[in-house]
Amino acid sequence: MRRKIVAGNWKMNTTVAEGVALASELAANFNQVPADVNLVVAPPFVHLTSVAEAIKGTKIALSAQNCADKAKGAYTGEVAAGMLAGIGCQFVILGHSERRQYYGETSATLVEKIALALENGLQPIYCVGEMKDERLAGKHFDVVKAQIEEVLFGLTAEQMGHIVIAYEPVWAIGTGLTASNEQAQEIHAFIRKLLADKFGAKVAEDCTILYGGSCKPSNAKELFAQPDIDGGLIGGASLKAEDFLAIAQSY
Ligand code: PGA
């Protein structure tokens, strides 16, 4: 059975104190979240230890927003997957479009990051999605297919069982534009078919595929009702506990 996940990507927002306040509010109201929905928060690196403390004893899981493509050593400014696992992270977001666009992250780097995340027991939330011009040119299936093939197809079926995928059309991230339910479902089904052809029906059926891109309380219910959408990766709306909890209640 695949898991339902609602994950909050805080990006580079909130001070540590604000982040702890947000996490504490989520922890205090956690009983509003349906039992079968897994809530995940992904604060900035420097918040992780304090947020871990704030969500202790709840079912809220901790995620980082990135990790290094090297295990350890002389890589100034980087944070290794093992370090994240050591402070209680269970997930790590990898391949977010902002990392691909602004920090030149490539498929080759992401292959290394995913391998290290898995080696350290972290579950990658691997992001894919097309840019606006690619969608307009009708290339969205090809783009997503390449992102999946180049980064995930070297994994074993067992490893693939630990991967969460997030489909995030870049034109919908932080823009207020959301993919229509049909557009999102169509790509999610396409991704699941790619996985079935490569890894077998069971792996594909069990893989959690999240939608991301201006997901909010007003549209989450319809999106999550689609058969191949298993939750959301939420940016802006995850910064307000009330909105994030409302999204988590949208199943
Ligand atoms: P958004 O961001 O919800 O603010 O559009 C989603 C994401 O980038 O993960």
Side-chain angles (χ1 to χ4, degrees):
M1 255 259 306
R2 58 187 188 247
R3 292 170 300 167
K4 297 172 179 176
I5 296 177
V6 174
N9 175 11
W10 296 2
K11 308 193 180 183
M12 198 171 72
N13 291 300
T14 73
T15 62
V16 173
E18 288 164 350
V20 167
L22 174 55
S24 304
E25 202 178 337
L26 295 175
N29 293 288
F30 188 74
N31 56 358
Q32 294 174 18
V33 178
D36 60 344
V37 174
N38 298 280
L39 215 59
V40 178
V41 289
F45 286 132
V46 294
H47 299 40
L48 287 168
T49 311
S50 315
V51 168
E53 196 56 40
I55 60 177
K56 207 169 167 175
T58 72
K59 271 175 42 205
I60 305 173
L62 192 63
S63 175
Q65 298 175 16
N66 184 27
C67 72
D69 60 342
K70 304 284 190 300
K72 66 173 183 174
Y75 302 102
T76 303
E78 291 294 310
V79 177
M83 299 173 185
L84 298 170
I87 55 163
C89 284
Q90 291 161 260
F91 293 86
V92 57
I93 298 172
L94 290 173
H96 191 280
S97 63
E98 287 150 16
R99 304 261 355 138
R100 293 181 193 259
Q101 256 185 295
Y102 308 142
Y103 302 98
E105 224 160 65
T106 62
S107 291
T109 319
L110 289 165
V111 166
E112 301 302 326
K113 292 187 177 195
I114 290 205
L116 285 161
L118 291 173
E119 256 171 52
N120 286 284
L122 296 174
Q123 300 172 67
I125 301 176
Y126 175 58
C127 304
V128 298
E130 79 285 357
M131 315 274 284
K132 187 172 185 183
D133 55 340
E134 293 166 336
R135 159 97 24 196
L136 292 174
K139 292 192 186 138
H140 41 295
F141 290 108
D142 292 342
V143 170
V144 169
K145 184 171 185 233
Q147 290 169 335
I148 298 270
E149 283 182 353
E150 288 169 14
V151 176
L152 300 181
F153 273 23
L155 298 176
T156 63
E158 198 280 324
Q159 288 174 316
M160 189 58 219
H162 300 284
I163 307 277
V164 173
I165 294 177
Y167 168 61
E168 301 202 304
V170 181
W171 47 271
I173 296 177
T175 58
L177 298 173
T178 314
S180 68
N181 303 328
E182 294 74 26
Q183 285 172 325
Q185 165 58 25
E186 183 180 46
I187 295 266
H188 280 236
F190 173 73
I191 293 171
R192 209 177 294 286
K193 171 84 168 56
L194 288 174
L195 299 179
D197 291 346
K198 173 70 185 170
F199 298 103
K202 168 120 180 63
V203 170
E205 198 43 48
D206 288 349
C207 183
T208 296
I209 308 178
L210 308 178
Y211 169 78
S214 299
C215 186
K216 41 189 181 266
S218 58
N219 59 23
K221 207 177 180 71
E222 288 178 12
L223 285 160
F224 296 174
Q226 303 303 312
D228 287 294
I229 299 182
D230 310 312
L233 181 56
I234 320 298
S238 71
L239 294 170
K240 262 184 75 185
E242 194 187 336
D243 287 352
F244 191 52
L245 291 166
I247 292 171
Q249 291 170 68
S250 297
Y251 272 107

